[in-house]
Amino acid sequence: MASPPYTILTEANITHFLTHGYIKLPSCFTRAQASNLTASLWTRLNLSPTDKSTWTPERIHMPAHTTFPVASFAPKAWHAICDLLGGPARINPNASTWKDSFIVNLGTAAGEGSVVQPHKLFNWHVDGDFFVHYLDSPEQALLVIPLFSDIAPGGGGTMIAPEGVGMVARHLYANPEGVSPRMTPRAVNPTFSQEVDRERGVDWFNQAARACTRFVEVTGEVGDVYLLHPLMLHSASNNALRVPRVITNPPVGLREPFCFDREDGAYSVVERKTLRELGKGRMEGWGIRGGRERIVPERVRVQERMRGEEAERLRKAGEEK
């Protein structure tokens, strides 16, 4: 199997990704860069940074006001993304940006000081609520987690289950007609009712997570970036420290779907990981059996309202974006 030259990743990085489904890249952007983007965070949230009694939402998925290219903001991360996906020519330029759509985990008063074990978390899922999932879906080619705050163990870092990559890949392989964002096959739920899927799909994900034996907590310092296989099973975790945890999770898209039947063997690292989890070197003639479909999730409407409210607070505070 041919291996393309890598711009920044080492063979150790590649081996780690093929084995565990993720890599951690330190110091991809500076604290100053992060501070420029998070300076108005508390105004946007309409919360006090020093009064925990105002921290009533446990986690907030903030809307975006600013969009910027990964290549200039975090070139190290960008080169690594290209290395994992087979080069920049395969990446959709319209899906290669980051935004200030922060995901803030503040924890709860009841959960302060209490570390919840991974098997007891209830929010296990795979990202991509805006499209119908297939094994080769190009819409979210990597799960990317840039750290905009320091995250210590027990500080609400995303919990990942590396064994879940294979579980999800096998589920998608067995359902070439496609599955909804909550992992309900189209044949079962062709209308993709998200209310129904939320209950049934979360059950599927949680059951898969409970069968896993190894978990990794996303921790690190401002500027670190995690790059994960798009089928990585993951969950929010309890912020026992109640130190605000700030991340984003921008998807990276491909121009064309992943290909698992390349005559020249020039598979990307992500494709190689998927094939490895399926126990295959090549999937001759394999293809999906349904049409590519986009979905507009409820969060889009919610975040549009939030964006307007945040913009008004920023205007009043003289911190317009």
Side-chain angles (χ1 to χ4, degrees):
M1 184 176 292
S3 296
Y6 302 117
T7 303
I8 196 168
L9 295 184
T10 65
E11 285 299 330
N13 293 143
I14 302 303
T15 298
H16 192 277
F17 191 95
L18 291 173
T19 304
H20 305 290
Y22 76 95
I23 55 173
K24 176 185 177 181
L25 298 173
S27 305
C28 292
F29 54 93
T30 66
R31 289 184 182 273
Q33 287 176 286
S35 295
N36 287 337
L37 290 168
T38 59
S40 59
L41 180 74
W42 294 99
T43 300
R44 292 175 58 188
L45 290 172
N46 199 28
L47 301 175
S48 167
T50 57
D51 183 0
K52 291 184 180 180
S53 68
T54 67
W55 300 2
T56 48
E58 179 179 3
R59 288 186 301 275
I60 306 100
H61 289 248
M62 303 175 69
H65 295 267
T66 304
T67 301
F68 43 95
V70 188
S72 57
F73 182 83
K76 179 179 178 180
W78 171 248
H79 289 308
I81 288 169
C82 293
D83 283 350
L84 291 176
L85 293 176
R90 292 187 183 180
I91 298 175
N92 180 356
N94 296 322
S96 59
T97 57
W98 289 357
K99 302 178 181 181
D100 60 347
S101 48
F102 300 116
I103 305 173
V104 183
N105 186 337
L106 300 172
T108 64
E112 188 166 5
S114 176
V115 176
V116 179
Q117 296 303 311
H119 285 117
K120 294 184 178 180
L121 297 173
F122 58 87
N123 190 34
W124 290 100
H125 63 285
V126 166
D127 272 7
D129 61 355
F130 57 96
F131 61 94
V132 176
H133 282 257
Y134 298 96
L135 186 65
D136 64 351
S137 290
E139 292 89 345
Q140 178 139 359
L142 280 173
L143 172 59
V144 182
I145 306 180
L147 275 55
F148 285 88
S149 69
D150 294 336
I151 308 175
T158 304
M159 194 70 67
I160 67 175
E163 295 160 281
V165 174
M167 295 177 180
V168 177
R170 289 186 288 273
H171 184 71
L172 292 172
Y173 180 74
N175 290 280
E177 75 281 1
V179 299
S180 78
R182 306 309 299 186
M183 297 297 282
T184 304
R186 291 209 305 181
V188 175
N189 183 25
T191 60
F192 301 111
S193 168
Q194 296 208 15
E195 290 73 26
V196 175
D197 285 352
R198 184 172 293 112
E199 180 180 349
R200 292 192 299 195
V202 168
D203 284 345
W204 189 96
F205 286 126
N206 284 336
Q207 289 171 6
R210 281 155 179 68
C212 294
T213 60
R214 190 174 69 87
F215 300 92
V216 177
E217 186 179 5
V218 171
T219 61
E221 299 180 349
V222 171
D224 294 350
V225 175
Y226 282 75
L227 301 178
L228 305 94
H229 191 282
L231 304 183
M232 178 65 73
L233 197 61
H234 61 285
S235 173
S237 68
N238 179 55
N239 187 346
L241 304 180
R242 299 213 77 191
V243 174
R245 184 227 64 177
V246 185
I247 64 169
T248 58
N249 65 345
V252 181
L254 298 177
R255 293 179 184 270
E256 301 290 338
F258 286 113
C259 181
F260 304 111
D261 185 13
R262 297 186 184 275
E263 291 188 5
D264 60 1
Y267 297 100
S268 70
V269 180
V270 174
E271 290 167 343
R272 289 167 61 190
K273 174 62 174 174
T274 303
L275 287 167
R276 175 183 286 199
E277 291 298 331
L278 294 173
K280 300 179 182 295
R282 181 180 178 184
M283 292 163 53
E284 294 187 44
W286 182 89
I288 69 168
R289 298 177 188 170
R292 307 285 173 180
E293 295 180 31
R294 288 274 182 155
I295 295 172
V296 180
E298 175 65 14
R299 67 169 171 84
V300 172
R301 184 189 65 80
V302 172
Q303 289 184 325
E304 281 299 321
R305 173 181 55 77
M306 292 173 64
R307 182 182 291 109
E309 294 171 350
E310 288 184 6
E312 179 61 16
R313 288 195 291 271
L314 291 169
R315 185 190 66 80
K316 289 181 177 179
E319 303 176 18
E320 293 95 339
K321 290 287 184 177

